[in-house]
Amino acid sequence: MTDLTKYRNIGIFAHVDAGKTTTTERILKLTGKIHKTGEVHDGESTTDFMDQEAERGITIQSAAVTCEWAGHRLNVIDTPGHVDFTVEVYRSLKVLDGGIGVFCGSGGVEPQSETNWRYANESEVSRIIFVNKLDRLGADFYRVVEQVKNVLGAKPLVMVLPIGTEDEFVGVVDLLTKKAYVWDDSGLPENYEVQDVPADMADDVEMYREQLIETALEADEDLLMEYLEEGTEPSIEDLKRCIREGTRTLQFFPTYCGSAFKNKGVQLVLDAVVDYLPNPTEVDPQDLTDEEGNPTGEHAIVSADEPFRALAFKIMDDRFGALTFIRIYSGKINKGDTVLNSATGKTERIGRMVEMQADDKSELTSAQAGDIIAVVGMKNVQTGHTLCDPKHECTLEAMVFPEPVISIAVKPKDKGAVDKMGIAIGKLVAEDPSFQVETDEDSGETILKGMGELHLDIKVDILKRTYGVELEVGAPQVSYRETITSAIEDSYTHKKQSGGSGQYGKIDYRMKPGEPGTGFVFNTSVVGGNVPKEFFPAIEKGFKSMMEEGPLAGFPVLDVEIDVFDGGYHAVDSSAVAFEIAAKGAFRQSMPKAGAQLLEPIMKVDVFTPEDNVGDVIGDLNRRRGMIKDQEPGTTGVRIKADVPLSEMFGYIGHLRTITSGRGQFSMEFSHYMPCPQQIADKVMEEAKARKAEK
């Protein structure tokens, strides 16, 4: 049995280009997992193994790697920094116990690192901070530390000070031990000497060390009193214990610095992971929920002796087949075991289990609480599903994914590739819950929905390159609806006589706008049998079938109430079919008379912006016909909530990034339908006419 206190499940997250992937590479090199380090800028890093990642130099998928340091087992997840892929960061945070926030020494705290930091705060994940790239021009460790305080509203606990700046950066001073670690120019991580603190740094070291001790001792009243009153300095062990406690409870974040690329300072970060980040048993256990997702008050206690419970947090298709990444919270699992997927109610047999070392794997025969592993070839498991012991069914708190905000229509360039496209898109949907697909009934087009233009761009690129499906991509679309605005009373007769038996059906009816959200309501109040009861279902069917396509632009009709109060029938010529046709004709005849109107989808938009840009952002939302609902100032900026028509939101993220110099973010979800302004309705109807003419 492995000792759980020797496990660390950590994620590395930061802004695009702060050096997360390079830091991961160095960790693997130092822990002996890889012998040649690949560089991101050569497109050769171990964890960025997709073509799209190597080319764009960005991480898209989080890759999980297992390695060992100082007798501890580290499961490291490298996450992407780009805003369209925050779903990856979000799902990684869900299964981690701690993290390393990497900030660029010259770029400092960038917007995306703010989002990821906010996610990590919401998930209550303990973190240490690594200020990277100190060898870069303009790098300034002390400035970044100030930004962590001011921009993130967090409390950095400075653990090391840099020796030299920019291209003269040679090492760091460890404040706890008052020793200097100085690397030579060979670029090898193991080529360093432990020296005394450089004389010109002695004062700074004393000052920062005092701050470090005072902050750390806040976790232990007795030691703090002793230190303040008697000046007795606590032992290194006591200090480490206090730092560990304060880190676990998010009181502060131990802060390190170095240059991952030049191999300087990474060892101390690894030591900090072991010394200060929590092991799986020290983190609040995951909640168990019922089928609706409400907490049951029970928890998945991290222990190998409990029933088996695991969360599938990522699905990846690679050359070895479909991999399902799972985090085991409790219990153990052996090859050949049968587990229950509580979301589908189906059981699955565990075939091959592997431990990922970036894109290499080693086979496992068993795994236990605290492990992050991949299972090969699971059939019906999706991201967020719980796997558990069939005798102890349970559901772990599910992951909540943002709804897609943009859709494009696609079709394969080559007619024969339709099936191939379907299979490939199916795989992408399984891998990424924020990517969805549906088919447009009218045009037969496939509609892809995602989190942003870059998100869909990359999906189309993967379809082309990985699966060989070339697509024609249409413009983004909005789904409108139609309704009526006034009540009318009308009559319609369907009569057909052409040799043999005829068709006859007459209905008198009222049509009026229904309550919002009621859809289609049908009543009959015919007295005296003028329309026999057996024809009512046919009349209802006729009206209902017409609701799918309104008269204005062919969009579905919402919220109409119809009451049939009289009519007439013929003993021989009346039939269900005749009354159904009568209802269809009645709908066509009356809908335009009842003040048909176009409705547009209104989105609930939540924009996050730095304070300096609030005026510009609000002005821009107003220009987009937005209604500002609320503004909430926070530590790092202002949240603006507004209702905005979807048609005005295309291309918004690019525009928002321009106004806020890349620091703004937004999320939006569907709220309700509202009447469309006339000039917009006219334009939509013209486009619909043009589309019909094409068909």
Side-chain angles (χ1 to χ4, degrees):
M1 288 302 293
T2 343
D3 177 0
L4 277 178
T5 59
K6 297 273 192 284
Y7 273 60
R8 299 288 181 275
N9 289 318
I10 59 168
I12 297 186
F13 44 85
H15 190 78
V16 177
D17 230 16
K20 297 179 301 296
T21 304
T22 307
T23 307
T24 310
E25 284 289 307
R26 295 308 181 258
I27 289 175
L28 296 185
K29 175 86 168 68
L30 279 168
T31 54
K33 277 291 172 188
I34 49 176
H35 301 294
K36 165 190 167 287
T37 37
E39 300 306 343
V40 176
H41 48 250
D42 300 336
E44 282 180 359
S45 70
T46 314
T47 49
D48 282 359
F49 47 85
M50 290 167 60
D51 292 348
Q52 288 77 6
E53 297 180 306
E55 255 172 52
R56 300 181 189 222
I58 60 175
T59 305
I60 297 167
Q61 296 183 316
S62 3
V65 203
T66 302
C67 53
E68 305 237 332
W69 182 256
H72 288 65
R73 174 193 173 103
L74 311 184
N75 289 316
V76 186
I77 294 190
D78 176 23
T79 64
H82 200 287
V83 67
D84 285 353
F85 305 102
T86 37
V87 56
E88 288 281 341
V89 179
Y90 203 67
R91 60 163 142 205
S92 304
L93 282 167
K94 180 83 184 154
V95 297
L96 295 173
D97 304 325
I100 304 175
V102 180
F103 297 108
C104 170
S106 53
V109 175
E110 293 160 292
Q112 193 55 46
S113 31
E114 287 176 43
T115 314
N116 294 345
W117 195 264
R118 210 164 61 231
Y119 281 161
N121 284 343
E122 285 166 18
S123 306
E124 296 184 355
V125 171
S126 307
R127 278 145 284 171
I128 52 184
I129 291 171
F130 178 51
V131 180
N132 189 19
K133 302 196 177 182
L134 282 191
D135 55 318
R136 288 269 287 266
L137 254 167
D140 181 343
F141 174 66
Y142 301 98
R143 190 187 72 232
V144 180
V145 169
E146 283 308 303
Q147 284 186 332
V148 168
K149 288 181 196 163
N150 303 331
V151 181
L152 301 178
K155 191 174 193 176
L157 181 70
V158 177
M159 302 292 293
V160 299
L161 295 184
I163 306 172
T165 53
E166 298 179 356
D167 52 3
E168 285 165 17
F169 170 72
V170 292
V172 296
V173 173
D174 180 353
L175 293 175
L176 274 187
T177 57
K178 290 210 273 197
K179 289 287 177 220
Y181 290 74
V182 179
W183 278 264
D184 64 17
D185 286 337
S186 66
L188 294 170
E190 54 276 12
N191 288 8
Y192 66 89
E193 280 180 15
V194 180
Q195 304 173 354
D196 290 330
V197 173
D200 59 345
M201 287 181 70
D203 294 348
D204 278 355
V205 168
E206 280 313 316
M207 181 179 90
Y208 274 94
R209 188 161 194 270
E210 205 167 293
Q211 287 178 8
L212 165 71
I213 294 172
E214 283 183 15
T215 311
L217 292 185
E218 284 171 15
D220 187 323
E221 290 275 311
D222 301 345
L223 287 176
L224 182 62
M225 293 319 291
E226 229 171 275
Y227 175 69
L228 292 176
E229 285 168 11
E230 295 156 37
T232 2
E233 192 173 289
S235 67
I236 300 268
E237 276 62 50
D238 279 340
L239 270 175
K240 282 189 166 178
R241 193 188 68 222
C242 292
I243 296 170
R244 186 179 177 88
E245 181 54 27
T247 307
R248 191 180 71 76
T249 53
L250 308 188
Q251 284 174 31
F252 47 70
F253 304 93
T255 301
Y256 290 80
C257 66
S259 160
F261 179 53
K262 294 277 171 61
N263 275 315
K264 293 172 183 170
V266 181
Q267 284 96 328
L268 283 87
V269 176
L270 282 171
D271 288 339
V273 167
V274 167
D275 288 341
Y276 307 127
L277 286 180
N279 69 50
T281 61
E282 292 173 308
V283 178
D284 290 340
Q286 289 282 329
D287 289 335
L288 296 180
T289 60
D290 56 20
E291 276 115 51
E292 275 77 58
N294 305 313
T296 55
E298 285 183 64
H299 305 286
I301 308 295
V302 177
S303 148
D305 306 325
E306 290 264 315
F308 173 73
R309 303 184 181 105
L311 184 71
F313 68 96
K314 183 174 171 60
I315 289 163
M316 214 164 95
D317 205 58
D318 78 351
R319 59 181 189 273
F320 300 94
L323 294 173
T324 305
F325 281 87
I326 63 171
R327 158 76 199 260
I328 304 174
Y329 284 106
S330 58
K332 324 189 245 302
I333 185 174
N334 296 307
K335 196 171 166 174
D337 282 0
T338 298
V339 297
L340 172 71
N341 176 346
S342 63
T344 59
K346 296 196 169 98
T347 53
E348 297 233 7
R349 193 166 163 278
I350 301 289
R352 288 173 58 206
M353 293 191 291
V354 293
E355 186 177 273
M356 299 291 289
Q357 279 126 24
D359 64 343
D360 257 359
K361 314 192 169 36
S362 56
E363 297 275 339
L364 300 173
T365 51
S366 68
Q368 61 153 20
D371 278 332
I372 291 181
I373 61 162
V375 181
V376 183
M378 295 192 98
K379 297 284 181 295
N380 302 312
V381 180
Q382 288 176 7
T383 302
H385 281 181
T386 301
L387 301 175
C388 57
D389 180 336
K391 294 192 203 64
H392 298 91
E393 187 173 343
C394 71
T395 306
L396 287 156
E397 189 182 21
M399 303 192 215
V400 182
F401 295 111
E403 280 297 307
V405 293
I406 174 171
S407 63
I408 51 172
V410 297
K411 55 174 189 258
K413 285 189 177 160
D414 163 17
K415 283 281 189 295
V418 175
D419 292 348
K420 196 168 157 192
M421 174 181 85
I423 294 166
I425 288 177
K427 287 183 174 175
L428 291 184
V429 171
E431 286 178 13
D432 180 354
S434 61
F435 173 63
Q436 295 176 5
V437 64
E438 60 184 42
T439 308
D440 181 331
E441 298 298 325
D442 297 343
S443 61
E445 287 177 320
T446 301
I447 311 287
L448 305 183
K449 301 176 165 191
M451 296 309 298
E453 281 139 287
L454 175 73
H455 190 194
L456 291 178
D457 221 23
I458 295 226
K459 294 296 181 210
V460 169
D461 196 39
I462 293 175
L463 285 167
K464 175 175 159 186
R465 272 201 270 175
T466 312
Y467 297 102
V469 181
E470 292 263 358
L471 295 178
E472 281 177 25
V473 180
Q477 289 298 327
V478 178
S479 51
Y480 292 92
R481 294 288 182 268
E482 302 183 19
T483 191
I484 55 171
T485 50
S486 51
I488 61 159
E489 198 168 294
D490 211 343
S491 174
Y492 188 88
T493 309
H494 167 66
K495 200 161 50 176
K496 193 174 173 203
Q497 199 69 48
S498 56
S501 62
Q503 286 181 358
Y504 181 83
K506 172 176 186 280
I507 48 175
D508 298 339
Y509 54 93
R510 295 184 192 91
M511 186 187 246
K512 64 174 188 182
E515 289 297 312
T518 50
F520 170 68
V521 179
F522 178 75
N523 296 312
T524 52
S525 51
V526 180
V527 282
N530 287 347
V531 178
K533 278 196 178 62
E534 65 262 30
F535 297 136
F536 292 170
I539 299 172
E540 181 173 359
K541 187 179 165 198
F543 276 119
K544 197 169 186 175
S545 66
M546 298 299 285
M547 296 285 289
E548 280 163 26
E549 217 173 285
L552 295 174
F555 289 106
V557 179
L558 294 181
D559 310 331
V560 171
E561 204 173 304
I562 288 173
D563 177 33
V564 174
F565 62 89
D566 205 356
Y569 79 108
H570 184 283
V572 179
D573 291 352
S574 284
S575 65
V577 173
F579 274 103
E580 190 180 321
I581 295 170
K584 287 179 175 174
F587 190 87
R588 266 193 298 268
Q589 163 185 299
S590 303
M591 187 83 183
K593 298 184 197 170
Q597 181 180 49
L598 205 62
L599 301 174
E600 61 178 350
I602 303 294
M603 308 303 282
K604 204 157 56 188
V605 178
D606 192 343
V607 186
F608 182 81
T609 163
E611 277 180 21
D612 315 351
N613 310 109
V614 173
D616 299 342
V617 170
I618 289 181
D620 180 58
L621 287 171
N622 286 332
R623 272 194 299 282
R624 294 171 189 270
R625 300 192 284 127
M627 289 271 297
I628 308 295
K629 293 283 195 196
D630 192 20
Q631 290 182 54
E632 281 172 31
T635 41
T636 58
V638 180
R639 287 178 76 166
I640 300 166
K641 295 185 174 167
D643 286 350
V644 192
L646 175 62
S647 58
E648 304 287 343
M649 289 300 287
F650 290 127
Y652 181 64
I653 187 70
H655 194 75
L656 177 67
R657 282 179 198 156
T658 311
I659 319 179
T660 59
S661 16
R663 294 180 56 191
Q665 283 126 5
F666 85 106
S667 63
M668 68 179 184
E669 56 184 346
F670 170 72
S671 172
H672 58 282
Y673 279 99
M674 283 281 286
C676 210
Q678 197 54 50
Q679 74 274 19
I680 288 173
D682 293 344
K683 201 167 138 206
V684 172
M685 291 191 277
E686 252 163 55
E687 284 169 6
K689 263 198 201 113
R691 273 204 304 275
K692 262 205 173 118
E694 273 174 30
K695 284 180 192 171

